[in-house]
Amino acid sequence: MRGWWQELAGLVLPVDCAGCGAVRVLVCDGCRGALGGALAGLVGPSPRPEGLPVVQAAAVYEGAVRAVLLAHKERGALPLAGVLGGALAAAVLAGGTGPGPGEVALVPVPSARRQVRARGHDPARRIALAAAGRLRRAGVPARVAPVLGLRRAVADQAGLGARQRRENLAGALAVRRAGVRLTRGARIVLVDDVVTTGATLAEAARAVRAAGLVAGPGAVLRAAVVAAPADSFVRAPRTAAR
């Protein structure tokens, strides 16, 4: 019910831009441009965790981009999933996962159940659904395959360093029973809203590989996110004036 009311409120009530505060617009043109994916590129956290797949990010995690992501994730601004999904789709395409044989399966990193209850939604999955729609409209057969789940409790990642995050998540994710069937024949792309240390995506990759979801000659596991810190981009992106 909470999610339903948030959706309705976002449609009928006046809002200000979640990125910069411009009045009476959900996301202004400037902030939408920062999330447009024009600066999408390869990112590599340092130190790079073992097993991290190739990761593409659509934008730099700062300023308006950070504000929009937090508004969606922590404050329940659900209509923002559309523009964030567009950014994620741009990151997927930047990684070379465009039109080709087979579907693209977007595999979102799962949130802990307590976080989903507290927020009223699963941010990564919601953004992934919007991204899949954008990809299909671009001619890329895409769907969301929520096959990952937590098999044990993990601590809140906020405030943890890179090594602490790796230790916190080690062995925490697993592929659900139907995972192989749901992703068979698809090109798998792990997706999340933000990458910082890379620990979460590395653990997701370990679980996917351990379940045999990525196998066969030439099979490559990729990942895509909406945003990453500026210093993690392999080629420093030009930041928007905003």
Side-chain angles (χ1 to χ4, degrees):
M1 287 294 292
R2 175 185 173 184
W4 186 84
W5 279 108
Q6 287 171 329
E7 293 273 18
L8 182 62
L11 290 172
V12 302
L13 298 178
V15 294
D16 295 338
C17 175
C20 67
V23 297
R24 299 187 68 81
V25 60
L26 182 66
V27 182
C28 72
D29 290 343
C31 294
R32 190 177 294 275
L35 284 159
L39 306 179
L42 181 67
V43 295
S46 181
R48 186 181 183 88
E50 183 179 355
L52 182 70
V54 173
V55 185
Q56 298 281 339
V60 177
Y61 187 60
E62 63 184 17
V65 172
R66 181 177 182 274
V68 173
L69 276 162
L70 290 178
H72 175 262
K73 186 173 187 175
E74 304 295 351
R75 298 200 297 277
L78 303 185
L80 293 173
V83 67
L84 294 173
L88 182 59
V92 172
L93 293 172
T97 312
E103 286 186 301
V104 174
L106 303 183
V107 176
V109 173
S111 298
R113 289 182 180 179
R114 66 179 182 278
Q115 292 176 325
V116 174
R117 287 194 298 267
R119 293 169 176 156
H121 72 125
D122 185 332
R125 184 170 180 175
R126 184 175 287 273
I127 293 172
L129 288 167
R134 291 292 186 98
L135 289 169
R136 288 192 296 270
R137 289 194 289 276
V140 180
R143 56 186 168 82
V144 176
V147 300
L148 287 173
L150 283 163
R151 62 181 181 183
R152 65 169 175 82
V154 295
D156 190 340
Q157 296 275 81
L160 298 183
R163 189 177 74 174
Q164 292 171 314
R165 289 188 177 209
R166 290 195 299 271
E167 293 172 349
N168 181 44
L169 289 167
L173 294 177
V175 172
R176 296 188 174 102
R177 186 173 299 175
V180 175
R181 176 178 57 81
L182 291 174
T183 59
R184 184 177 290 117
R187 294 171 288 161
I188 295 175
V189 182
L190 301 174
V191 296
D192 206 353
D193 53 358
V194 179
V195 62
T196 51
T197 67
T200 303
L201 285 175
E203 169 58 18
R206 181 208 60 77
V208 164
R209 290 177 179 129
L213 269 57
V214 181
V220 177
L221 180 60
R222 301 181 183 275
V225 297
V226 174
D231 61 3
S232 68
F233 279 79
V234 173
R235 180 181 296 175
R238 293 171 288 107
T239 56
R242 272 193 119 77

